[in-house]
Structures are given as C-alpha cells and as structure tokens.
Amino acid sequence: MTSIANPDAKHYRKLEGTWKDEDGLCEAVLNIGAGIHIRYKTGKIDSSYGVMESIKLMLNQYGMMGFAYTIHDGEELKININDRTVYEGEKTIYRVSDAWYGNGKLSFEMMDLYDGHKETVVLTKDEPEEIPLAEGEYLCVCGYRGTDGRFCPSCGREFSC
C-alpha cells in the first residue's frame, strides 16, 4: 500500500499549538488533525477547520462568478472554521466572520451578534521549550519529529543523515 502525503500538512503543523492575544481575552488551540478550540471573552467554539494558501484562493477566484476574496496585509493562509459561532452556554454571542494566518500571527475577525460591530483579535503562538533530539531521532522541516525510516511520514521528504 502506498500512502500519499498531504500537501497541506505543513500548514496544519505551522498552526498547531496554543495561540493567545495580549489582553488574555482570546485563546485558540489548533491541532494537526484540524480540530480547533477557541475561547473568546465568555464564550467558546469547538469545531474543525481547513486551510488554503491565500494566494491560491485569490488566483482561483477569477474563474468564479460573484466571488471576491480580499487578502489581508501579510496574510499567508485563509482559515475556514466549520462552525464559526461562539457560544456562551446555549446562547450565541459572537461569530468568527474571518480567520487568517500571516507574519507569525493568527487573526480572527469577531462579530458581535447583538450589535453587529466587528473587532480583529491578533494572537501569537505560545512556543514550548525546545527539546533536544534523542539519539537516532530526526526533525523534518515540516515539524515532524521521530525515528521512522528514511522519509517523513507527514510530508514525504527524505531525512538527511
């Protein structure tokens, strides 16, 4: 059986981890399996997400009628959250109207569902302490770490010895 590497795996690895804003009002935890948990003010989202390179999205839109996507300054990845509603218990309070990654930052445009105003929340990644490589362990440029064979099981690149 031959496995095909996911060409977007590098994007999920880049986004994987815990992200926080400066004011402590928002925290997002993204995992490589495309799961996302967002806590915003008094509400939260538990959903899944997908990513697309923003430049590809912009280039692809010219073939679609009525669709116009504007790239934010520095945007590299467009993030599509499946359930974008922020819940406080059973009550809906905010909606993530847009999400993107660029320049090492994760950004959410949050829309208040009561008065319609929007605010952009910018988050930075909580970087864990770097753990040194063990004997025989490899670290791939995509972020995979392990001892599996000659090729990275995540992106397919050959490990350099």
Side-chain angles (χ1 to χ4, degrees):
M1 180 169 106
T2 305
S3 65
I4 298 171
N6 178 356
D8 292 327
K10 62 185 174 193
H11 303 312
Y12 290 97
R13 286 218 184 270
K14 183 184 290 188
L15 296 173
E16 181 181 32
T18 301
W19 299 76
K20 296 179 181 179
D21 74 328
E22 287 181 357
D23 301 327
L25 297 175
C26 187
E27 178 179 280
V29 179
L30 287 78
N31 69 43
I32 193 145
I36 185 169
H37 172 78
I38 300 172
R39 180 194 50 79
Y40 182 65
K41 295 185 179 180
T42 59
K44 66 178 184 171
I45 294 174
D46 283 307
S47 189
S48 57
Y49 72 100
V51 296
M52 182 172 200
E53 291 179 40
S54 299
I55 193 71
K56 287 182 182 176
L57 180 62
M58 196 173 98
L59 293 173
N60 288 341
Q61 76 183 352
Y62 293 113
M64 300 177 182
M65 298 302 284
F67 177 73
Y69 182 71
T70 305
I71 294 179
H72 302 87
D73 286 340
E75 180 179 334
E76 300 166 37
L77 300 172
K78 166 79 173 138
I79 301 168
N80 296 308
I81 301 171
N82 291 332
D83 181 2
R84 301 178 295 145
T85 306
V86 179
Y87 294 93
E88 182 179 54
E90 297 291 316
K91 187 169 62 170
T92 59
I93 54 176
Y94 287 92
R95 180 173 197 82
V96 180
S97 54
D98 206 359
W100 66 95
Y101 168 85
N103 296 325
K105 299 189 183 306
L106 186 61
S107 298
F108 298 129
E109 184 180 76
M110 306 299 279
M111 182 174 73
D112 187 311
L113 295 177
Y114 293 108
D115 64 15
H117 87 273
K118 294 180 181 180
E119 53 191 68
T120 300
V121 183
V122 179
L123 299 94
T124 54
K125 195 170 190 179
D126 235 9
E127 294 291 344
E129 264 187 55
E130 191 171 316
I131 301 167
L133 292 173
E135 179 79 26
E137 189 176 34
Y138 299 98
L139 178 62
C140 184
V141 294
C142 76
Y144 173 80
R145 184 181 185 126
T147 57
D148 296 338
R150 282 184 40 203
F151 298 94
C152 176
S154 179
C155 72
R157 286 189 176 93
E158 184 174 13
F159 290 124
S160 57
C161 297

